[in-house]
Amino acid sequence: MSDDLDDIQAIFFEECAEGLATAEAGLSAMADGDVSAGVIAGVFRAVHSIKGGAGAFGHAALTAFSHRFENVLDEVRAGRIAPTPGVTRVMLTAFDVLADHVAAAQGTSPLPADAAVAAALDQVLADRGVAEAAPVPAAPAPAPVAVVEDDPFGFEPVTASVEPFDPFGFEPVTVTLDLLDDARPVVADAPLPWTVTFVPSDAALANGGEPMLIVRELEMLGGTITGVDLSRLPSLRDLEPEHAYLGWTISVPGTVEESAIGECFDFVAPESIVDIVREISSDMASTGVPVVPPVAVAPVPAPVPVPVALAEVPTLIATPIAAAPVPPMPVAVAPVAPPPPVRPAPVRVDEAEVQRTHEVAAQTIRVDLTKLDMLLNLVGELVIRGSILADRLSPKDQERVELPQLSRLTREIQDTVMSLRAQPIKQAFSRVPRMLRDLSAETGKQVTLETTGETTEVDKGVIEKIGDPLTHMIRNAVDHGIESPEKRLAAGKPAQGTIKLSAEQKGARIFVRVADDGGGIDRARVRAKAVEKGIVAPDAVLTDEEIDQLICAPGFSTAETISNISGRGVGMDVVRSNVEALGGRVEIASTPGKGTTFTMVLPLTLAILEGMIVRLAGQRFVLPLANVIETVQPEPGQVRPTTTTGEVIELRGNYLPVRRLTRTFGFADNDARTPEESLVIIVESETAGHVGLMVDTIDDRREVVIKSLDQNLHPIRGLGGATILGDGSIALILDIEALVGPSAPLNRYPQKGLAA
């Protein structure tokens, strides 16, 4: 039973993560000015769900804080508190504390100190908002003259408050009266409690409901059980375990909003009875005099005075106030009409609507990601076994055992599993607006964010691992890229900088870009810092691309002082190491005075790709088929040298650059092979366009399972991983973009190739 509870609680924390993401996106939208009802309702529902689940699992601190937070959101949702920037700032701070409470409930962090934020939330409720600017204090008014006289008939004293007036300006004199009518409404000192009657339906337990969870949630609001209805309880012989027989009467403090009580019954079972009414005091019950509960009213301007001649109130002022004649005095009297008592009808749930909801919910199911990983690994093993059969069987035998059909079914299974793991990259982008807002406030820089491609789907494992790189790239763009408003204006730019965050899929790769319109990379300063830190030799000859890549070196930073944003030299190093661990790479393009673009090139899937098996100096490599355009057998003179290391191929009147992969990987003994004895594979890349790769031969076309080099060896630029071929041998998978890009490795392994 304990294991089942742990499993259910794990699902609750997954829902918390989804709710926090929804709440953060909504609050960020509110901070940007979108205060539509749908956005506010989305934040409210997210916090309400977290509160309900926390109460069910006994996380008292999380429940208490989320309830406070929910109270403010409920008032904002109802329009009783305006979602001003001040209120939104308080709620954003409360969100941070709520996330810390969720982490504390999971046991991954200590319990946060929430007293200050809780007090701020209470203050928002009390003041019905947050003052955006301190009001100008008014000049102190003269103290009013109070005249108190005992009534000769034994009634309570009458108090008249008279404010001095300007005899030349004829300002009115305001008299505040205490009514002496004995039949006036009685104002209670505190709101009367609520009486909640809850009778769950017979089928509540059978439908998966738990009435006691609702009762406990009401108790968390301060409610107490005042009665239990046992009239439906049968004899022990007729007792059905899946039936609900009890009903409860619960008294809830009057300070609790009725909407907060009603929300406890959001998921109540069909045909349940819920009755929420104000209690009636014994005095009122006996006299029949209506009770007017006190209402919290925001400060309003003074009411327009109603002129009343002094002669009309002779019994109110027994002695003259001043010798001078007194002009007519206005009297401000606010008559209170007692509202008729309203008894809400019992809340009954539409059974058909609940059934439709259950049908929709039944179409989805939560699956642990490790189970999907296991399934994906099994599909990979199935692909390997298919390769083994393809190597060992003749084409005729392959047709006889329907191996092509088996390969097709395997591919469909793999695509289905990958679609289960695919998630929109918006999950990784959702935290950027809030982070950018905080960075702008901390640096004093004005930055706006533009996002595109948020619906691009990426493997779940990729999304989880690009969070840190994305954070460091955004921080770097704000701190080092975007200039201060003064510098931007002096350079003829708008004071507000722009960061563009985008994602797109091209072939088997995902390109995530962070581009700013700042000052670009100061390459002279970067080089000087690299020399100072001993990263490069003083006499080293570096291209612009190589200097740009220096900012990703461990411990490198151009910040003069260490701050909360940068200065420790761990930012871009984390970006490159994390991205390369995924089998991707980081590209940097910068134009002085124009800005810088960081691109994370990530694999679309971490599992299976369709590749071409090629040979280099007797070793087999896998070239991703998604990049291949065509294959050319060069004729004499078709491949021509341009420099000592560069060659081009003439193809239909165009000249394309050619790279000898034997030279790239250091197979020097095979470098004397002529182009006519080789094959040139024309591939397409994002950064270099069409490029020819010279290989020895092509062996086969095959689906291969990608194995990470980071887990089994270490990342190597130009290689995207490894795979196991049908004969059990290992082949390395080529990374086309890294091989043909501007900073592609040339003669990186000059002595003994990859073995070195």
Side-chain angles (χ1 to χ4, degrees), residues 144-145 160-167 170-176 305-310 317 321-322 325-332:
V145 180
S161 177
V162 183
E163 294 180 357
F165 67 96
D166 182 4
F170 298 102
E171 292 185 351
V173 175
T174 303
V175 179
T176 305
V306 181
V308 177
L310 187 60
I317 302 178
I321 298 174
V326 179
M329 296 183 299
V331 179

Side-chain angles (χ1 to χ4, degrees), residues 476-560:
N476 185 79
V478 174
D479 195 37
H480 296 289
I482 302 294
E483 312 99 324
S484 64
E486 296 79 12
K487 289 184 178 180
R488 292 183 64 85
L489 291 173
K493 297 181 179 180
Q496 189 175 51
T498 301
I499 292 179
K500 296 181 179 180
L501 179 60
S502 64
E504 63 175 331
Q505 175 185 346
K506 289 191 176 182
R509 295 280 172 174
I510 297 292
F511 293 80
V512 180
R513 294 184 178 89
V514 176
D516 65 71
D517 64 347
I521 295 177
D522 187 345
R523 295 190 173 101
R525 186 180 177 193
V526 169
R527 179 187 171 87
K529 278 285 184 180
V531 172
E532 176 187 332
K533 293 179 177 292
I535 298 176
V536 297
D539 57 348
V541 178
L542 302 176
T543 64
D544 287 348
E545 291 79 11
E546 291 171 335
I547 293 176
D548 293 345
Q549 288 291 333
L550 287 175
I551 67 175
C552 295
F556 183 85
S557 176
T558 58
E560 298 295 338

Side-chain angles (χ1 to χ4, degrees), residues 46-98:
V47 176
H48 175 68
S49 298
I50 292 174
K51 184 200 77 172
F57 290 102
H59 300 299
L62 174 57
T63 304
F65 185 81
S66 56
H67 178 63
R68 262 194 174 99
F69 194 0
E70 180 191 38
N71 287 342
V72 174
L73 285 166
D74 187 36
E75 295 297 295
V76 174
R77 183 183 62 161
R80 292 185 287 269
I81 293 179
T84 62
V87 171
T88 304
R89 281 195 297 271
V90 172
M91 291 195 295
L92 280 167
T93 305
F95 167 81
D96 291 336
V97 177
L98 180 65

Side-chain angles (χ1 to χ4, degrees), residues 64-65 68-69 72 90 93-94 97 113-127 129-130:
F65 185 81
R68 262 194 174 99
F69 194 0
V72 174
V90 172
T93 305
V97 177
D114 61 0
V117 180
L121 290 172
D122 292 343
Q123 193 66 38
V124 170
L125 281 176
D127 296 344
V130 173

Side-chain angles (χ1 to χ4, degrees), residues 144-229:
V145 180
V147 179
V148 181
E149 175 113 1
D150 289 336
D151 189 278
F153 299 101
F155 292 102
E156 295 178 7
V158 179
T159 301
S161 177
V162 183
E163 294 180 357
F165 67 96
D166 182 4
F168 300 99
F170 298 102
E171 292 185 351
V173 175
T174 303
V175 179
T176 305
L177 306 178
D178 279 349
L179 297 178
L180 301 180
D181 188 354
D182 196 41
R184 68 184 183 272
V186 178
V187 180
D189 292 335
L192 292 172
W194 299 96
T195 297
V196 181
T197 303
F198 173 41
V199 182
S201 68
D202 291 341
L205 296 174
N207 290 336
E210 174 49 76
M212 285 307 299
L213 293 180
I214 299 175
V215 174
R216 289 172 189 153
E217 190 168 357
L218 291 171
E219 288 179 331
M220 281 183 243
L221 295 178
T224 55
I225 298 175
T226 59
V228 180
D229 180 10

Side-chain angles (χ1 to χ4, degrees), residues 320-631:
I321 298 174
V326 179
M329 296 183 299
V331 179
V333 179
V336 181
V342 179
R343 183 181 181 84
V347 178
R348 295 186 180 272
V349 181
D350 184 5
E351 188 170 359
E353 180 64 27
V354 172
Q355 180 63 29
R356 286 193 295 271
T357 303
H358 287 174
E359 289 175 358
V360 173
Q363 295 176 2
T364 60
I365 184 173
R366 290 183 179 273
V367 179
D368 190 348
L369 192 60
T370 57
K371 294 182 179 180
L372 289 179
D373 290 338
M374 186 180 300
L375 180 59
L376 194 59
N377 289 335
L378 292 175
V379 173
E381 293 298 324
L382 191 59
V383 170
I384 293 175
R385 295 301 177 270
S387 298
I388 294 175
L389 289 176
D391 283 349
R392 295 181 178 179
L393 296 177
S394 64
K396 183 177 180 180
D397 289 338
Q398 291 182 22
E399 288 293 337
R400 186 166 54 85
V401 299
E402 297 185 344
L403 187 60
Q405 289 80 356
L406 178 62
S407 299
R408 179 179 57 82
L409 290 174
T410 302
R411 180 71 182 194
E412 290 180 359
I413 294 173
Q414 183 257 330
D415 290 342
T416 302
V417 175
M418 291 308 305
S419 68
L420 295 177
R421 293 175 54 93
Q423 300 288 330
I425 203 169
K426 182 179 180 180
Q427 294 184 16
F429 285 7
S430 61
R431 295 184 178 273
V432 174
R434 172 74 190 285
M435 177 175 57
L436 194 60
R437 190 176 301 108
D438 293 341
L439 290 171
S440 298
E442 188 170 349
T443 61
K445 298 178 181 179
Q446 303 174 20
V447 186
T448 184
L449 177 68
E450 298 178 5
T451 58
T452 56
E454 293 175 286
T455 58
T456 303
E457 291 193 339
V458 188
D459 186 273
K460 177 70 172 176
V462 174
I463 291 180
E464 290 178 347
K465 294 178 181 178
I466 67 172
D468 281 347
L470 196 59
T471 297
H472 288 293
M473 291 167 71
I474 294 292
R475 293 164 74 91
N476 185 79
V478 174
D479 195 37
H480 296 289
I482 302 294
E483 312 99 324
S484 64
E486 296 79 12
K487 289 184 178 180
R488 292 183 64 85
L489 291 173
K493 297 181 179 180
Q496 189 175 51
T498 301
I499 292 179
K500 296 181 179 180
L501 179 60
S502 64
E504 63 175 331
Q505 175 185 346
K506 289 191 176 182
R509 295 280 172 174
I510 297 292
F511 293 80
V512 180
R513 294 184 178 89
V514 176
D516 65 71
D517 64 347
I521 295 177
D522 187 345
R523 295 190 173 101
R525 186 180 177 193
V526 169
R527 179 187 171 87
K529 278 285 184 180
V531 172
E532 176 187 332
K533 293 179 177 292
I535 298 176
V536 297
D539 57 348
V541 178
L542 302 176
T543 64
D544 287 348
E545 291 79 11
E546 291 171 335
I547 293 176
D548 293 345
Q549 288 291 333
L550 287 175
I551 67 175
C552 295
F556 183 85
S557 176
T558 58
E560 298 295 338
T561 59
I562 294 177
S563 66
N564 292 333
I565 301 177
S566 63
R568 301 186 185 277
V570 294
M572 297 306 297
D573 176 37
V574 171
V575 173
R576 186 169 67 178
S577 60
N578 285 15
V579 171
E580 288 182 348
L582 288 171
R585 67 183 181 281
V586 178
E587 297 176 352
I588 304 173
S590 181
T591 303
K594 300 290 185 180
T596 304
T597 300
F598 293 92
T599 303
M600 291 189 291
V601 183
L602 305 165
L604 175 63
T605 129
L606 303 179
I608 300 172
L609 64 80
E610 194 167 4
M612 181 182 290
I613 311 298
V614 300
R615 285 187 180 268
L616 298 173
Q619 298 188 29
R620 286 186 290 183
F621 292 80
V622 179
L623 195 154
L625 202 60
N627 297 91
V628 175
I629 302 298
E630 61 180 310
T631 303

